[in-house]
Amino acid sequence: MGDLGYIAPEIILLIGALFIFCLDVAYDPGVGRKSGLSYMALSALFLTAALVAAVLQLNISDPEAGPKVAFSMMTIDNFGSFIKVTIFSGMILTTIAGGRYMNRRSGNQGEFWTFFLMVSLAMSIAVSANNLVLVYLAIEFLSITSYMLAGFLRENRRSNEAGLKYFLYGSIASAVMLYGISLLYGATGSLYLHEIAAAFTEIIGDSREISGLAFAGLPAMLLILAGLGFKASLAPFYQWAPDTYDGSPTPVATYLSTASKAAAFAVLARFFIVAMASFEVNWVPVLAAFSIITMSMGNLAALRQSSVKRMIAYSSVAQAGYILMGLVAVTSSSPSAMDGLNGVLLYLFAYLFTNVGAFLVVMALEETVDSTHISAYRGLIKRAPWLAVMFTIFLLSLTGIPLTGGFFGKFYVFGAAIQRQYFWLAAIGMINAGIAAFYYLRVVREMFFTHEGEGEALDVPMALQTSLLICTVATVWIGVYPSAVLDWVSTASVQLLSVVP
Amino acid sequence: MESLDSIVLTILLFWPLVSALLVILLGKSDSQIKKGSIWASLLPLGLSIYLLFAYDSAAGGMQFEQFAEWIPQLNAGYHIGVDGLSIPLLFLTALLSTLSLYYSAGVINERVKEYFFLMHLLEFSMLGVFLALDYVLFYVFWEISLVPMYFLIGIWGGENRGYAATKFFIYTLVGSVAMLLAILGVYFATGTFDIVEAAAAKPFAGNLTLASLAFWGFFLGFAFKVPSFPFHTWLPDAHTEAPTAGSVILAGVLLKLGAYGMLRIMLPSFPEASVYWATWLVGLGAIAIVYGAFVCVAQTDLKRLIAYSSVSHMGYVMLGIGAAAAVMTPEGLASAVNRFGLTPQAIQDSAAMALNGAALQMFNHGIITGALFFLVGIIYERAHTRDLSRFGGLATKTPHFYGLMLTAAFASLGLPGLAGFWAELFTFRGAFAIMPYWAAFGTIGIVITAVYILYRIIQNVFLGEYDPAKLTHWTTVQGEHADGPTDMVGFEKVTMWPLIAAMFLIGIYPTPLVSYFNKSARELLAFVQNLI
């Protein structure tokens, strides 16, 4: 098998996407509920197969085994595999829950699920790529398929707006990133991350002074950060996010704010830690500034939203700020238990289940009462008690209350910041946690604190309930007993940090 | 008993959680849930009484300790244990929880299942805070105690409940996150999350800046909970809007968590910072005593008045803790000795006395204010108002109620023979030897306390001529129409009498209770002195 075996998850996804595409072309039974759901089931199946392949690649038992290189352009390491597991889990949960939602709203089911698998494939390639051209191609692939998915509801103007906005911002971000890549190539003569790192180490040397061609490294770093920051919805590149999340079909918004974000952070981490190691003193303050702006802007904007979907959209911008805090505090020199990279990975993992869950609740309300407005949640405890309880768990997890995964995520990124003695960064994070609690609690307040709200019990689809239950169990499990996840996280981050010279 | 002793704390801790789950899973009818909950809550109460007797006072220190691995990657474990400070507080928690459940069974008829579920969950989290000897565990329980209380205020509270609940949650959360940062700081300084080990490892010894940062991080977390002036503004809202049992638990136990944290964590872990900032603690405490008392005089709402009296009374606790904090290091001790020419032994005794006073005040305040909030609830169920100007002359109409209120109110103002007296005496006597000016300033509060207790409560509500025109709409506790105020009924008396009895008991013979606290206070002083 050799190299082909290393990229098994990607191959499975590619086959899956083409299979569904061909099936869709070959059999066109007209618009039918049944066909839509079977495409959904097929794509869930292929995603699960890819998940299994990624789990098998995760070398927990044998930490000595080093990273493998496939076709010289992809590094298959525990870091990438862990992120893949995270991404695929999110995509599977979204797929299962989103089947009926998409089926009701659009006729082209085969097309939708084909793109859905393509998106997963793109993310999967992006997180393993060790060559900047492949990074660029994967990100472009991800963007283009995402534009189509965001604007998939062609008759819906909001969906069109979402797709168009994402496309316009996205193409500029990609162009900017490409320019950054070309600068790096000019300065170092290579597109491979480790060769770039080696070239910079040679130029800069031990003196730690930036001179000559190394000057190109700084603008290149900022330009690439802008391109990836767009994907991760970092401020000030986040303006597309609320409109796109709000307007796109909810399954699309779900993965855009979770899996896609995880992929962007993985690429960002790999790029900065591997290629830009020599510039650590320079990128730390830059990322710290981005982190502060991102969480503050996201939280302040979320405060004023009256649509729950939009509120979660802004809140996921703010969450990106916390995750970035972990990246700021990466200690490449001496990895410790509470390293920033561990924080990033744990946060991404916990956040994935929490935020997917939150979006699924929004989807459930859209499905049943066709509204995302906060007033639709009034007295939800009476109409759908379990839905209200699960949403509360997700919101508490996003707030960072213990016994939920979100707590340990925050615990780790704050811990990493304290360890590096970035007290001011941690303090700003602390103030933000207080602000965020306010708008998360507003929804809880609507759901529980009213004595009215006797109404018909909501009829939430079975598949959606299953996905929600998995998200809830995962969120609470990480919060109560994080030990197992921490093991995966540390094997993943140790391998990435070990390549740093 | 050997085998019981090895797991008694785990049973005590997790039984309320089991009860909560049973309520959700098995609860069918309201009456069954209520009965089951009350019976279930007797087990933790029994175990906490067992601990009072089983604790070996002669040996002292942490006993009944248990340890299990939890997050080995971080060196954080499930470590619980009790000492002389936590045992009486566990008893207080279990007692007030049982009484609250019992009282609530009589007055809560809406969303019963959720209510009793949350009450059990609340007891679980409070017991957890008093038991935890690991920072992560401590923080987990500390934070989750917010959630049930938030819902209790928000669902069963008064008119303005949403606002009050959110304010309560956010204020405490901000304080807690500050504490989390300090916990992380201690972890990186000492490499352990174990509270006892970390204190012994002297975090930030010799680095006053970092020690002060951590000290204030913890202080913010605890001060919001106590609540210390000027972090108290959430308290009147939360208390006023909360349902009766919620107020009782909030005032009786939740406020104690903050003071407990100061004694358990701040003083032993940061002796140098404690000495440096002791004047601030004492000052904030004394200001709270006086300020809280003055604000009480101005209140027109009976429940709000009691709420502000908590600010004032928790000031005593801060005063006692702050005074002891000033002599945590030999340098602090020496400077106190130089100031007044007392012997080091006398200063140490005063510090122990201040600590005893603070701990005793924690316990007594739980009993007394718990009783006062029950009594406010009892009158509110009948009058449906708490407006002081609408009451008057109730003494003749409701003699039993009057008698109990009189006892609790006098205990609150520190009448000798009742519980409150000893705590005030010890606190002021101890603080006076170390920080005389602030202690003297604080005594103004005692006088003002007499004003609002005697004038605002006793005279306004009970004395004088009963005027039916003041308040025309009265009901019985069951909500049926009544022609005038009716006296307490059976379940209300059963709720109240244990608390009243405790006030007399501690007031007449405080020695057994003080001996628990004294053991811990002496240990704390010795521990810190040896550390340096």
Side-chain angles (χ1 to χ4, degrees), chain A residues 337-338 381 402 407-408 411-412 415 419 423 430 437-438 441 444-445 448-451 480-483 486-487, chain B residues 70-74 110-111 139 143-144 150-151 154-155 161-163 166 169-170 173 177-178 180 184 188 193:
Chain A
M338 251 198 195
I381 180 70
F407 165 68
F408 277 109
F411 190 68
Y412 259 70
Q419 190 175 21
F423 298 130
M430 171 190 111
F438 185 79
L441 290 182
V444 179
R445 206 165 139 174
F448 283 86
F449 290 5
T450 174
H451 293 300
V480 173
Y481 190 69
S483 219
L486 286 176
D487 272 340
Chain B
W70 181 32
I71 315 176
Q73 290 92 339
L74 293 178
E110 204 181 343
R111 296 165 82 172
Y139 188 80
E143 282 278 85
I144 56 171
Y150 170 74
F151 282 107
I155 299 177
R161 56 182 188 275
Y163 169 76
T166 309
F169 194 100
I170 290 179
L173 180 73
V177 182
L180 179 66
L184 289 164
F188 290 119
F193 276 117

Side-chain angles (χ1 to χ4, degrees), chain A residues 161-184:
Chain A
E161 183 200 343
L164 190 63
K165 215 160 199 165
Y166 194 37
F167 174 68
L168 290 178
Y169 278 102
S171 35
I172 293 171
S174 303
V176 166
M177 184 165 89
L178 194 59
Y179 185 51
I181 292 174
S182 72
L183 280 180
L184 279 185

Side-chain angles (χ1 to χ4, degrees), chain B residues 187-229:
Chain B
Y187 171 66
F188 290 119
T190 64
T192 176
F193 276 117
D194 195 284
I195 292 179
V196 184
E197 273 177 38
K202 296 188 266 186
F204 311 120
N207 187 342
L208 190 62
T209 319
L210 281 182
S212 299
L213 266 179
F215 180 86
W216 281 101
F218 277 113
F219 181 78
L220 262 187
F222 298 142
F224 270 109
K225 206 86 162 191
V226 166
S228 154
F229 176 88

Side-chain angles (χ1 to χ4, degrees), chain A residues 213-345:
Chain A
L213 280 172
F215 273 117
L218 291 177
M221 178 178 86
L222 286 176
L223 292 171
I224 292 176
L225 180 61
L228 294 172
F230 161 80
K231 278 272 143 214
S233 73
L234 303 179
F237 316 114
Y238 73 98
Q239 280 95 342
W240 61 274
D243 287 327
T244 303
Y245 293 168
D246 196 16
S248 359
T250 308
V252 178
T254 310
Y255 89 73
L256 278 179
S257 75
T258 52
S260 168
K261 196 172 277 188
F265 268 108
V267 177
L268 208 56
R270 198 187 281 280
F271 172 69
F272 274 101
I273 292 170
V274 178
M276 289 284 140
S278 313
F279 292 95
E280 191 178 322
V281 268
N282 305 97
W283 54 262
V284 161
V286 173
L287 289 187
F290 275 94
S291 162
I292 291 169
I293 300 171
T294 305
M295 59 185 148
S296 308
M297 297 289 280
N299 277 330
L300 289 177
L303 275 179
R304 299 182 302 140
Q305 303 307 319
S306 58
S307 151
V308 174
K309 196 173 175 183
R310 230 178 144 74
M311 182 208 88
I312 297 177
Y314 275 111
S315 106
S316 73
V317 172
Q319 301 285 342
Y322 298 122
I323 302 174
L324 198 58
M325 200 189 222
L327 203 52
V328 173
V330 167
T331 45
S332 47
S333 43
S334 58
S336 73
M338 251 198 195
D339 186 80
L341 191 59
N342 284 352
V344 171
L345 293 176

